Amino acid sequence: MPHASNIVYCDGPDSPHAFDIVPIQPRKGSLDAMCPFCKGRGQWNTEIDLVSFRCKRTACDRCHGAGWVETGSDPVGLPDIEISPEGYPRWTLRFEPADDVTPIDPEKPGLSQI
Protein backbone atom coordinates (compact mmCIF):
# COMPACT_ATOMS: atom_id res chain seq x y z
CA MET A 1 0.00 0.00 0.00
CA PRO A 2 1.61 3.28 -1.03
CA HIS A 3 2.02 6.00 1.53
CA ALA A 4 2.38 9.76 1.19
CA SER A 5 5.94 10.95 0.77
CA ASN A 6 7.94 14.09 0.16
CA ILE A 7 11.49 12.93 -0.62
CA VAL A 8 14.25 15.54 -0.53
CA TYR A 9 17.75 14.86 -1.88
CA CYS A 10 20.69 16.53 -0.14
CA ASP A 11 23.87 17.36 -2.06
CA GLY A 12 26.06 17.58 1.03
CA PRO A 13 26.24 18.91 4.58
CA ASP A 14 25.25 22.42 3.45
CA SER A 15 21.83 21.30 2.16
CA PRO A 16 18.76 22.52 4.12
CA HIS A 17 17.60 19.09 5.40
CA ALA A 18 21.03 17.43 5.66
CA PHE A 19 20.98 17.32 9.46
CA ASP A 20 17.27 16.68 10.12
CA ILE A 21 16.95 14.04 12.89
CA VAL A 22 20.75 13.51 12.98
CA PRO A 23 21.97 13.91 16.59
CA ILE A 24 25.31 15.41 17.63
CA GLN A 25 27.77 12.66 18.54
CA PRO A 26 29.13 12.55 22.10
CA ARG A 27 32.79 13.38 22.43
CA LYS A 28 34.81 10.20 22.87
CA GLY A 29 38.49 9.94 23.67
CA SER A 30 40.86 12.83 23.22
CA LEU A 31 39.47 14.35 20.01
CA ASP A 32 39.49 18.12 20.41
CA ALA A 33 36.85 19.92 18.36
CA MET A 34 33.61 19.38 16.49
CA CYS A 35 34.16 18.43 12.87
CA PRO A 36 33.83 21.51 10.64
CA PHE A 37 32.10 19.53 7.84
CA CYS A 38 29.40 17.63 9.73
CA LYS A 39 29.19 20.00 12.73
CA GLY A 40 29.64 17.23 15.28
CA ARG A 41 27.13 14.77 13.85
CA GLY A 42 29.47 12.36 12.01
CA GLN A 43 26.97 11.88 9.18
CA TRP A 44 24.27 13.62 7.19
CA ASN A 45 21.22 12.75 5.15
CA THR A 46 21.68 12.21 1.44
CA GLU A 47 17.96 11.50 1.05
CA ILE A 48 15.12 12.10 3.51
CA ASP A 49 11.35 11.65 3.33
CA LEU A 50 9.85 14.65 5.14
CA VAL A 51 6.62 12.72 5.82
CA SER A 52 7.86 9.43 7.29
CA PHE A 53 11.41 10.67 8.14
CA ARG A 54 12.97 7.61 6.53
CA CYS A 55 16.40 8.57 5.33
CA LYS A 56 19.65 7.46 3.71
CA ARG A 57 22.81 8.79 5.32
CA THR A 58 26.49 9.00 4.53
CA ALA A 59 29.38 9.09 6.99
CA CYS A 60 31.59 12.19 7.09
CA ASP A 61 34.92 11.66 5.34
CA ARG A 62 36.70 14.23 7.52
CA CYS A 63 35.96 12.78 10.97
CA HIS A 64 35.17 9.20 9.82
CA GLY A 65 31.80 9.29 11.57
CA ALA A 66 33.07 10.34 15.00
CA GLY A 67 31.76 13.91 14.78
CA TRP A 68 34.97 15.18 16.41
CA VAL A 69 38.45 15.85 15.02
CA GLU A 70 41.99 16.19 16.35
CA THR A 71 43.28 19.76 16.16
CA GLY A 72 46.81 19.03 17.32
CA SER A 73 49.51 16.91 15.74
CA ASP A 74 48.48 13.62 17.38
CA PRO A 75 47.59 10.82 14.94
CA VAL A 76 43.98 9.67 14.91
CA GLY A 77 43.30 5.95 15.39
CA LEU A 78 40.65 4.42 13.14
CA PRO A 79 39.32 0.85 13.27
CA ASP A 80 40.20 -1.09 10.15
CA ILE A 81 40.37 -4.67 8.84
CA GLU A 82 43.56 -6.27 7.53
CA ILE A 83 44.52 -9.73 6.30
CA SER A 84 46.63 -11.71 8.76
CA PRO A 85 49.70 -13.70 7.61
CA GLU A 86 47.48 -16.81 7.77
CA GLY A 87 45.08 -15.21 5.25
CA TYR A 88 42.22 -14.41 7.63
CA PRO A 89 40.71 -10.96 8.18
CA ARG A 90 41.31 -9.36 11.58
CA TRP A 91 40.51 -6.07 13.26
CA THR A 92 43.32 -3.59 13.66
CA LEU A 93 43.81 0.07 14.51
CA ARG A 94 45.05 2.28 11.66
CA PHE A 95 46.59 5.66 12.50
CA GLU A 96 46.25 8.67 10.20
CA PRO A 97 47.88 12.07 10.60
CA ALA A 98 45.50 14.61 12.13
CA ASP A 99 46.19 17.22 9.46
CA ASP A 100 45.07 14.98 6.57
CA VAL A 101 41.86 16.58 5.34
CA THR A 102 40.03 14.47 2.80
CA PRO A 103 38.11 16.76 0.44
CA ILE A 104 34.48 15.86 -0.12
CA ASP A 105 33.13 15.67 -3.66
CA PRO A 106 29.65 17.30 -3.64
CA GLU A 107 28.70 15.32 -6.76
CA LYS A 108 29.23 12.04 -4.86
CA PRO A 109 28.49 12.67 -1.17
CA GLY A 110 30.35 10.34 1.15
CA LEU A 111 33.08 9.63 -1.39
CA SER A 112 36.46 11.28 -1.09
CA GLN A 113 38.37 12.76 -4.00
CA ILE A 114 41.42 10.56 -3.49
Side-chain angles (χ1 to χ4, degrees):
M1 180 169 161
H3 66 281
S5 66
N6 181 12
I7 296 176
V8 175
Y9 298 94
C10 303
D11 294 331
D14 295 329
S15 296
H17 295 284
F19 295 120
D20 287 3
I21 68 169
V22 181
I24 294 177
Q25 297 292 319
R27 182 177 174 210
K28 298 176 187 167
S30 61
L31 299 176
D32 299 326
M34 279 190 177
C35 176
F37 290 120
C38 67
K39 300 168 183 65
R41 289 172 171 87
Q43 58 188 338
W44 60 81
N45 300 317
T46 57
E47 180 180 322
I48 184 167
D49 184 346
L50 297 178
V51 175
S52 66
F53 291 103
R54 292 180 182 177
C55 59
K56 294 179 184 176
R57 295 182 180 170
T58 186
C60 179
D61 286 330
R62 174 65 174 100
C63 66
H64 304 285
W68 295 80
V69 294
E70 175 66 46
T71 58
S73 59
D74 293 338
V76 177
L78 302 168
D80 201 358
I81 298 174
E82 68 179 9
I83 300 296
S84 70
E86 296 83 28
Y88 298 103
R90 65 179 177 194
W91 285 103
T92 186
L93 198 59
R94 173 176 46 99
F95 289 94
E96 287 189 358
D99 57 355
D100 273 357
V101 177
T102 307
I104 295 172
D105 184 358
E107 297 296 318
K108 301 176 215 160
L111 301 176
S112 64
Q113 294 179 352
I114 297 177

